[in-house]
Amino acid sequence: MRKLSRAASGARHVRWSSEILRTMCAHLDINDRLSETQKKALAAEVETLKPRVEGLESAVAPYRAFVERAHLDIRARQRVANFLCDEAQRAADGAMRPHRKDIDTILPGGFGAILAKTSLSRVLRAGHAKTVEHAERAASALRSLPAKIPGTGPLADTLDQAANLLRTFNKAADALEEQRTPLRAAVNKGIFDLREALDQIDGRLRTHFSQDFIDSLYPELNKSGSAVADEDDEDDDASAPPEG
């Protein structure tokens, strides 16, 4: 019998523990081989586990609501602002390329100093911040070029506008972390309390039941142990195909 990975999400812990709780109840309902002592012991553990499962559910719900609304909304806005920064840099690259030789003689570092070629991960906050930095650096470099190179002002303005937009959303994302922190902490506490309760339940059940019985309470997991295995419910993020 394997237990769900501690790194699994709160939603997956809810699914896992709900299956354990329902299996306990199913034993009480249909397993006529249980003695009265065993029924009493198992019923007591159902009453112990149920509030832990419900407690985790009540913590997961507001966290999921936060993720699905505020968190996804700001990620979408950052994605658009990143695109605008990239578009502004592509426009600057295209417009300045015909003047490359002149720029190489004027600008320290030459034409290559205007536009960053660094590959950035927008999954990480550092990537968003670097995009702002690169766009502003390109705008500054364009403004430093002499008037004989046409179009630098509007290109620099577009870069600055995109950078300012992304900076605004990056700050908003940082502010959202203040909301996420207590919500996530409540989920983590719910997971900890649930797992502690299950460990204690297993220990008490050993007084009345075999290890095979205790193992029967736990659902099968996918190969990585990160989710309940359920080939008929693959669309639910709380479960996964058996081989996954």
Side-chain angles (χ1 to χ4, degrees), residues 161-216:
Q161 288 168 5
N164 287 335
L165 191 65
L166 180 54
R167 180 188 291 105
T168 297
F169 296 138
N170 289 348
K171 288 181 178 178
D174 290 341
L176 279 180
E177 282 304 303
E178 295 182 10
Q179 298 177 38
R180 178 203 288 267
T181 298
L183 294 172
R184 183 60 191 165
V187 172
N188 287 337
K189 183 179 185 303
I191 291 173
F192 177 84
D193 291 346
L194 171 70
R195 296 185 72 104
E196 282 288 297
L198 282 169
D199 286 343
Q200 293 171 14
I201 287 170
D202 287 353
R204 289 191 294 268
L205 288 178
R206 289 190 187 99
T207 303
H208 304 284
F209 298 95
S210 68
Q211 187 61 49
D212 286 342
F213 178 90
I214 296 171
D215 290 348
S216 78

Side-chain angles (χ1 to χ4, degrees), residues 7-54:
S9 69
R12 288 187 169 185
H13 271 87
V14 169
R15 170 64 183 267
W16 177 64
S17 58
S18 294
E19 294 218 15
I20 297 167
L21 180 61
R22 288 172 184 267
T23 306
M24 287 180 169
C25 293
H27 269 295
L28 289 171
D29 287 342
I30 64 176
N31 185 351
D32 58 8
R33 297 187 177 185
L34 296 180
S35 68
E36 288 304 313
T37 300
Q38 288 176 322
K39 287 181 180 180
K40 184 177 180 180
L42 190 59
E45 300 304 347
V46 165
E47 294 305 310
T48 298
L49 182 57
K50 186 177 179 181
R52 297 301 188 189
V53 176
E54 292 173 345

Side-chain angles (χ1 to χ4, degrees), residues 78-155:
Q78 285 177 303
R79 195 171 295 117
V80 172
N82 272 305
F83 170 78
L84 294 175
C85 285
D86 291 344
E87 283 288 279
Q89 294 206 52
R90 281 190 283 267
D93 181 83
M96 293 295 102
R97 194 164 289 276
H99 308 284
R100 181 165 190 159
K101 289 184 179 179
D102 289 337
I103 293 173
D104 284 342
T105 63
I106 296 169
L107 196 66
F111 180 81
I114 298 178
L115 303 172
K117 300 299 182 183
T118 307
S119 178
L120 300 175
S121 169
R122 266 69 181 273
V123 175
L124 303 176
R125 292 185 188 181
H128 294 301
K130 276 291 184 183
T131 298
V132 172
E133 179 185 327
H134 290 168
E136 290 182 332
R137 185 184 303 154
S140 178
L142 288 171
R143 294 187 197 284
S144 72
L145 294 174
K148 70 175 184 177
I149 298 178
T152 55
L155 290 169

